[in-house]
Amino acid sequence: MTTSTELAATLERKPAKPETFPAMLLAWKPQIEAALPRHLNADRMARICLTCFRQTPKLGECEPLSVFAAVIQAAQLGLEPGLNGRAYILPYKNRKTGHYEAQFIPGWKGLVELANRSGRASVWTDAVFEGDEFQWEKGSKPFIKHLPQGEDEPTKLSHAYGVGWVKSANYPVIEAWPLSKILKHRDRYNRVGDDHYSYKHLEMYSRKVVLLQVLKYLPSTPELEAAIILNDQAEIGQQRITLDDAIK
């Protein structure tokens, strides 16, 4: 795999820097391929990212290099952005400059994938809706009992929970929060106002919040730690990924 130094040097040798994000995807596809783990394909990643770009008009108002940097970040973590829920590339408005910037947001599915890749633990998360049978308990013998009843309307979300199980452990790590606590957490750390992705993706945000609490107690990897840091930076509107940052 190409090193980050070689990747940066290759970009600098480009005779003419492309000026739009679609042009960058075409011109710098080898750099995407160099960043990807072997099980992912650069052509597929480029197509998926271009679809995300076209489906989110505000990304067109972002600095193109910031969008491409988010693509490189997704590639390095091996997470495909888009509707599969593993990751997102979203525009956030910089309140100081008034301009939009692209940010890489790991989804709960992406965090689960990164945690499970370690092979030392397994994690999962779910959402509880009104009408579901739901019981849980912490303590020396934690447990969760959840019997869904078919409701999935976002406005009827009542709880979200995460479960982690370290191999050879006797009991799981469990975290379950009511919606009121989830929203209180968001409002405490949200620095991007109505642009915060939870307003459109409440279930995704809720499941990720509780999952992040569980991950604190599980074995980690450099990729998982990087994803959590990026997520935390995005929460408070301080994720400022440049292309140089992405390929370090």
Side-chain angles (χ1 to χ4, degrees):
M1 180 176 290
T2 304
T3 66
S4 58
T5 302
E6 292 169 337
L7 177 56
T10 302
L11 290 176
E12 291 175 356
R13 288 198 299 269
K14 290 290 178 183
K17 185 175 73 174
E19 297 182 356
T20 67
F21 173 68
M24 290 175 185
L25 283 179
L26 181 62
W28 292 343
K29 191 182 296 182
Q31 282 66 47
I32 298 175
E33 184 174 10
L36 284 168
R38 292 183 179 181
H39 70 280
L40 293 179
N41 178 273
D43 287 329
R44 173 180 168 83
M45 177 65 84
R47 289 195 302 270
I48 289 173
C49 292
L50 184 58
T51 298
C52 293
F53 181 78
R54 289 172 173 170
Q55 291 179 341
T56 310
K58 286 292 184 182
L59 284 176
E61 299 181 26
C62 297
E63 163 59 41
L65 278 173
S66 76
V67 186
F68 189 78
V71 170
I72 292 295
Q73 191 67 69
Q76 289 179 337
L77 295 177
L79 299 178
E80 296 176 340
L83 297 179
N84 62 21
R86 287 179 173 82
Y88 301 85
I89 297 175
L90 298 176
Y92 276 58
K93 192 171 186 178
N94 186 318
R95 297 195 169 191
K96 292 183 179 180
T97 65
H99 298 146
Y100 279 91
E101 301 171 351
Q103 298 202 5
F104 170 81
I105 310 290
W108 69 262
K109 290 183 181 180
L111 292 174
V112 165
E113 180 177 320
L114 291 174
N116 289 343
R117 279 184 202 169
S118 74
R120 293 178 289 168
S122 59
V123 296
W124 64 95
T125 177
D126 210 339
V128 182
F129 295 86
E130 294 176 14
D132 290 359
E133 295 182 32
F134 181 63
Q135 295 179 325
W136 78 291
E137 184 175 306
K138 295 183 104 172
S140 61
K141 295 183 179 180
F143 78 91
I144 273 188
K145 181 180 180 181
H146 178 204
L147 298 177
Q149 299 300 307
E151 181 62 73
D152 62 0
E153 172 60 41
T155 59
K156 296 185 178 181
L157 179 72
S158 67
H159 294 74
Y161 65 88
V163 181
W165 208 300
V166 179
K167 286 190 174 181
S168 77
N170 293 324
Y171 297 102
V173 177
I174 292 175
E175 195 73 34
W177 286 14
L179 179 60
S180 59
K181 185 174 180 178
I182 293 167
L183 296 180
K184 184 177 180 180
H185 175 87
R186 178 194 66 188
D187 295 343
R188 180 183 301 153
Y189 295 104
N190 178 16
R191 298 294 182 272
V192 294
D194 293 344
D195 281 339
H196 196 280
Y197 60 93
S198 62
Y199 288 95
K200 292 183 179 179
H201 308 283
L202 181 59
E203 180 182 339
M204 183 272 277
Y205 174 75
S206 300
R207 294 174 74 162
K208 185 167 68 171
V209 165
V210 292
L211 180 63
L212 286 167
Q213 310 310 308
V214 171
L215 291 174
K216 294 176 182 178
Y217 301 94
L218 302 186
S220 189
T221 64
E223 291 79 13
L224 180 57
E225 290 179 2
I228 292 174
I229 289 172
L230 288 167
N231 178 78
D232 292 345
Q233 290 173 342
E235 286 290 324
I236 59 175
Q238 293 184 358
Q239 189 187 101
R240 302 285 188 267
I241 304 176
T242 66
L243 191 56
D244 288 339
D245 293 331
I247 62 177
K248 280 181 179 180

